[in-house]
Amino acid sequence: MTALRMARILTECGARVKVVHEGASLVVRGLGVEPVGIRTGYASQEITVRSGDNTITRMMSMGPHGVNHRLDHAMRALAVQVSQGGMSAEAVEHEIDRLVKETPRHPLWLVALAVGLACAAFGRLLGIDWLAFGPVFVGGGLGQAARMLLLRRGVNSYVVATVIGFVASALAGFGSHFLDSGTVNLSMMAAILLLVPGVPITNAQTDIMDGYPSMGSARAVSVMMVMIFATTGVLIAEWFLGMH
Amino acid sequence: MAFAPPDILYLLHQIVFGALAAAGFGVLFNFGLRSLLWCAAAGALALGVRTLGQDVHWSLEAASFVAAVVTSCVSTMLRRPLGPRGNAVALAGCIPMVPGAFFGQALLGMLAVTTPHPENAALILTSTEYFLRVFFTLAAIGAGLAIPAHLFRNPDF
């Protein structure tokens, strides 16, 4: 179960399936058993290990998928440490608990500020004018803050995509229109770029290339779903602002 | 074909905003402060290469592919300071090239096509074009990042 937990956390942090399997295998070997097989799905994972003539299979369900670079690399370092031997399963579990609890995360205000700036910068790359820069920054930043609060309350991630798509694009569209920007439509689209799941998109492709087409396809479908729900939010915002 | 020198101001604009977008999304992905600088550098490199490619009339897809290849290769070459973070930094640098706005516009266009009286056939063409651009650009970025990573395998885990 320790190796399975490592695999689960790595997947939830946005690691590729190949990395997840390598991490789990390092832990399994470090604990003195041999991995027979690991299966990673979008919603659950299974592992079979062998010790002498005995084999055992365990399964674990997956939590929400996200991206957490620092926890991902802390887990990888732990997997390498475990593979060198000398740690008991209890000690590894304790260390995993500690890392999950203590690995730092940026505060909400900083993430909101950074994402707002990223959306506005993305907008400039797409061609929004300077008048729309501020509204996209505000829409993207407030959208990200609201997104984090909703996800913490356990709201379905696709519903969150629609709500945030609406909030961010309505704020950016209203602000840009108010400031007489010539790129109102583009600014509405730029403000929802925080919802575009860039890491899962590339992971989907890499997983398929690495020989895990089922996980790759599941990731691609979830990306499509997020985009459909986010675009629905933009459409509602366009109606709300009288653009139809 | 005559060679025209790149518009330096436009190139700088793309580099600066590419760096800002990559670093901003790096905060969302919970990169550490030092890694964020690498994300910004990777974003600047990716957007710089893509802009230069488009300047010499490459398609968006081709320019994105080359930019992703270059970013991935450079992150592999910088293995010593980057360690196992190299692939993640290259990916963060390429995030500003993900055509999210095209994706949204393609979906909005398709929704408009399904209304009882769509404006004209050009709408279908534009939406289809956006979808194809999204598909091929994403494929180009993914392949551009993956190919060097597979060829020059990073032994760090």
Side-chain angles (χ1 to χ4, degrees):
Chain A
M1 290 302 270
T2 308
L4 210 46
R5 210 167 149 221
M6 166 70 71
R8 174 192 163 156
I9 294 170
L10 282 172
T11 311
E12 288 171 3
C13 287
R16 292 179 290 132
V17 173
K18 196 176 178 189
V19 169
V20 171
H21 287 190
E22 278 177 32
S25 299
L26 286 173
V27 172
V28 166
R29 291 203 179 93
L31 293 176
V33 285
E34 273 300 307
V36 176
I38 307 171
R39 186 201 65 84
T40 297
Y42 197 79
S44 65
Q45 286 178 320
E46 289 155 24
I47 189 166
T48 301
V49 297
R50 180 175 56 207
S51 177
D53 291 336
N54 301 314
T55 59
I56 187 167
T57 300
R58 286 285 181 267
M59 183 178 173
M60 190 180 269
S61 59
M62 199 86 74
H65 291 248
V67 183
N68 186 340
H69 181 260
R70 277 191 279 192
L71 183 56
D72 173 89
H73 277 268
M75 284 293 160
R76 291 192 201 198
L78 176 61
V80 172
Q81 189 187 340
V82 176
S83 73
Q84 287 157 359
M87 284 181 87
S88 66
E90 291 74 27
V92 180
E93 285 280 354
H94 184 263
E95 191 57 14
I96 290 176
D97 287 339
R98 190 188 69 76
L99 287 173
V100 169
K101 202 174 160 190
E102 293 179 10
T103 301
R105 288 216 71 138
H106 297 299
L108 188 145
W109 65 266
L110 178 62
V111 178
L113 206 70
V115 169
L117 189 61
C119 287
F122 225 135
R124 284 296 300 168
L125 294 173
L126 292 169
I128 62 166
D129 57 24
W130 283 108
L131 291 170
F133 190 88
V136 172
F137 172 70
V138 172
L142 290 179
Q144 177 59 30
R147 178 198 201 187
M148 288 167 80
L149 292 173
L150 288 173
L151 288 174
R152 279 179 195 175
R153 283 172 176 263
V155 180
N156 180 285
S157 60
Y158 300 110
V159 174
V160 170
T162 300
V163 173
I164 302 309
F166 168 72
V167 170
S169 60
L171 283 172
F174 178 75
S176 306
H177 181 71
F178 183 75
L179 293 174
D180 219 12
S181 158
T183 53
V184 175
N185 278 317
L186 209 50
S187 71
M188 290 175 78
M189 208 44 88
I192 68 147
L193 290 177
L194 64 106
L195 294 168
V196 176
V199 173
I201 288 173
T202 45
N203 274 351
Q205 226 177 316
T206 318
D207 283 343
I208 293 169
M209 282 177 72
D210 286 340
Y212 305 103
S214 49
M215 182 62 158
S217 310
R219 284 199 214 262
V221 170
S222 75
V223 166
M224 194 66 195
M225 283 283 287
V226 168
M227 287 310 297
I228 289 170
F229 275 79
T231 309
T232 305
V234 179
L235 198 67
I236 297 169
E238 285 186 351
W239 282 332
F240 185 75
L241 296 175
M243 293 168 75
H244 277 279
Chain B
M1 189 164 43
F3 175 77
D7 180 345
I8 297 296
L9 273 183
Y10 179 67
L11 180 63
L12 277 176
H13 173 275
Q14 298 298 94
I15 285 173
V16 168
F17 285 104
L20 275 178
F25 281 102
V27 173
L28 179 63
F29 301 154
N30 201 29
F31 276 85
L33 287 179
R34 225 180 63 184
S35 301
L36 285 175
L37 293 176
W38 286 111
C39 290
L45 176 67
L47 262 294
V49 173
R50 190 183 76 168
T51 307
L52 285 175
Q54 289 187 292
D55 257 5
V56 290
H57 307 292
W58 291 352
S59 66
L60 176 68
E61 294 82 355
S64 301
F65 175 73
V66 174
V69 167
V70 170
T71 311
S72 184
C73 285
V74 170
S75 74
T76 306
M77 284 192 287
L78 292 172
R79 218 188 91 207
R80 185 164 293 186
L82 283 175
R85 291 173 300 178
N87 290 343
V89 165
L91 173 55
C94 288
I95 290 292
M97 298 197 296
V98 170
F102 273 140
F103 210 155
Q105 280 169 335
L107 286 170
L108 282 175
M110 285 295 171
L111 284 170
V113 169
T114 57
T115 54
H117 305 289
E119 283 172 26
N120 50 47
L123 199 59
I124 298 174
L125 195 65
T126 311
S127 304
T128 310
E129 183 199 331
Y130 279 150
F131 258 122
L132 290 175
R133 295 204 92 168
V134 168
F135 182 79
F136 289 123
T137 308
L138 286 176
I141 295 169
L145 282 171
I147 291 169
H150 276 264
L151 289 177
F152 315 109
R153 214 169 270 272
N154 188 343
D156 300 324
F157 179 71

